[in-house]
Amino acid sequence: MNIEVKVGNSLNKNDEIKIIKILKNVGDSIRLNDVIFEVESGKGASAVNSKTKGTIESINVKEGDTVNADKVLAQINGEQSPKATNTSTNNFNYFQNLIKPVKLQMESDITIIGGGPGGYVAAIHAAKLGAKIILIEKEKLGGTCLNWGCIPTKTLVRSAQVFDTLKKAEEFGCYAENIGIRMEKVIDRKDKVVAQLVQGIKYLMDKNNIKVINGVAEIVDNETILVKSSTQQITIKTKNIIIATGSKSAVLSINGIENKNVINSSDALSLKEVPKKLVIVGGGVIGMEFAYIFASFGAQVSVVEFMDQCLISCDDDICEENKKSAIKKGIKLYNTAKVEEICEAEDNECIVHFIQEGKDKYITANKVLLSVGRTPYIDGLGLEKAGIELNQNKKGIKVNSKMQTNVSNIYAIGDVTNIILLAHAASHQGIVAVNNIMGRPCDMDYTVVPSAIFTEPEIGMVGIGEKAAKLQGIEVEVGRFPFSANGKALCYGESNGFIKIIKNKSTERIIGASIVGLHATDLIAELTLAIKSNLTAEAITETIHAHPTTAEVIYEAALSLVGEIGRAR
Ligand code: FAD
C-alpha cells in the first residue's frame, strides 16, 4: 500500500518547514523509524522518520526547499504498522520527540565545537574554501566575546563616556541639567547591540551554508562527535574537528565565594542598579575596565590586586599612567594584596578581608566582582576519549604552531588553548587551523598580536615592550610623544597619556609600541601593520598623517626616533 510521509500533526497546515537534509533516495529499502528527512520549523530542528518498512516510491522535495507542513514529502510502498494505524496519522510527532530526543546522524568535513570569535570565523573561512561545515554551540552564537565579553563591556564603556562628558559639559561651554544614569536603559542598549551582532552572525551562517546545531558537543573519537540537546541526539561523522570552546571565569577558593553579592563579569553586565560600593578582586584588564565603568556610573570602587601593580602585562610607565588616572577618578587601588575571605555583615553588605604588607585589612561592599582570570573550557568535552593532550600546566589544550593537537585531524583554537585570551587572536588562530586542514600550510605568529584595553585613557599595545626587550637582551631605542602636545587631543579635552615606539637598535626595525591616550585602541593598528611589515621609523615619517588627528602622535614619536625634533601641532 502507498503511505504518505508528512511532517506531522503537531504543526499547523500552513506552518512552514525547511528541508535541511534528505537521507534516503527513491528505491531505497527502509525500516520502521528510519530517518528520511531533517527539517527545521519555527519549533526548531527535527527529524521525519518512517512509520513503516518498505521502499521509497517518490521524494517530492529538494534540500533547501521551504514547504507547508501538510506537504507530502515522500511516498513509501509498504505496510502500515499497527502502531501507526492507531494514531491519527502515520507521521512524525514533534512533541513525542520533545520527550525522547530524536536520534540523527550527520556528516561533515569539519565540525567546529563552539560558536565564539574563534569558531564562527573558522566556520565562515572553511565554508568559503568549499568545506562542508557543522558548527555546534551550546548557548549563543558569538560566544563570550559578543554575549558576555568584548561587545557588552564596550557598550557599557560608551555609556560611561557619555555620562562623563555630560558631567564635564560646562568645560566645553555646554549646560546640562538633572543628568543621571538609568541602569535599565544602559543594559537595554547593551542587549540591543549584542542582539544585532548575534543576528548578523546567524545571517552569515545561513549565507555560507553552515549547519548550526544548538547543543552540547562531546568528542567520542577522532572522527565522531555526539551532540545532545533536549530534542536531539546527533552523531556526527567528521573528517576534522576544531575545538573552540573558549573559557570561563576563574574562581578563587576562599571562604565566602558563594555569597550572593559576589559576582563575575557576566553578572556585572546585567546589574540593574549601580552598587554604592564595589570591590573588584583582580586588577587585570577585565577588572580595570569594570573599575572605570562603575566609577563613572557613581560607585565607590576599590580594586584589590595580588601583584605589585594593576595591568601587569603593560610596561611600568603605562601602569603608572593608569594608576594616576585611576586615583584621579576616585578608584582605590590596593596592590600586593591577597584576599583571604569574604564575609557577610548583618546588613547584607560584604566584608572583604585581605592581607597587605602583613596587615589584615577590610573593605565593605554591596557587590564584590571576582575578576581573577579565565580558565579554558574543557569540561565534559571527552578529550581523554580522543587522547588529546593538555598543556604542561594542564590548563588548555596543547597545540603546535598550526593549531593542531597531538591528534592529527583535531585542532584547537582560541581561549581553550590558553595561549592569548583575546578575540582577534582566537579568530586568527581559526583561520590558521582551517588553512592547514584545507591544504594551505601556515603557522600562527604571536609576535604581532595587538591588545586593546578600554580604561581611561585607553591603552593599545603591540609587539615587544621595554620590559620584555630588556629581559630578552635586545638593545632598543624608544621614541616618545605626549598627547598634551597633540592638537586633536587638546580640542577633545583629553590630553593625558603618551605614545612610545620601540625600535631594535641593530636592525632599525620597529618591534613594539604602547599608547596610552585618546583613541589608543584604534591607533595601535598602524603600528601593528608597521611591525608586521618590518617597517622602520623612517617609513612612518615618510607617510603623510592627516591633521588634526590623534594619529599624528605616531608620526611625532617616529620623528624622534629618526633624530628629527618633533613639532607639536
Ligand atoms: P568563546 O568566545 O568563549 O566561545 C566559545 C563558545 O563555545 C561559547 O559560546 C560556549 O558556549 C561554546 N561551548 C563551550 N563548550 C561547548 C560544548 N561542549 N559544546 C558546544 N558549545 C560549547 N577580548 C578582546 O579581544 N577584546 C576585548 O575587549 C575583550 N573584552 C572582554 C571582556 C570580558 C568581560 C571578557 C570575559 C572577555 C573579554 N575578551 C576580550 C576576551 C574574549 O571574549 C575571548 O578571548 C574570546 O571570546 C575567545 O573566543 P573563543 O572563540 O575562543 O571562545
Side-chain angles (χ1 to χ4, degrees), residues 5 19 21-23 35-39 46-48 59 61 73-74:
V5 180
I19 311 297
K21 194 156 185 207
I22 303 175
L23 295 113
V35 177
I36 309 173
F37 299 99
E38 284 165 31
V39 299
S46 201
V48 180
I59 290 183
V61 286
L73 304 178

Side-chain angles (χ1 to χ4, degrees), residues 160-215:
Q161 284 170 350
V162 171
F163 191 41
D164 283 341
T165 307
L166 283 172
K167 284 187 263 181
K168 58 180 184 190
E170 266 187 60
E171 196 187 299
F172 295 82
C174 307
Y175 293 86
E177 285 174 6
N178 296 327
I179 61 163
I181 192 112
R182 283 210 197 116
M183 275 316 273
E184 71 272 22
K185 276 268 182 194
V186 171
I187 302 302
D188 190 43
R189 176 175 179 275
K190 181 259 304 177
D191 289 341
K192 282 187 182 137
V193 173
V194 168
Q196 185 176 342
L197 287 167
V198 171
Q199 198 52 41
I201 294 176
K202 281 187 186 145
Y203 166 78
L204 288 173
M205 296 293 110
D206 279 352
K207 189 169 166 243
N208 288 289
N209 287 321
I210 295 160
K211 170 82 188 156
V212 177
I213 301 175
N214 193 229

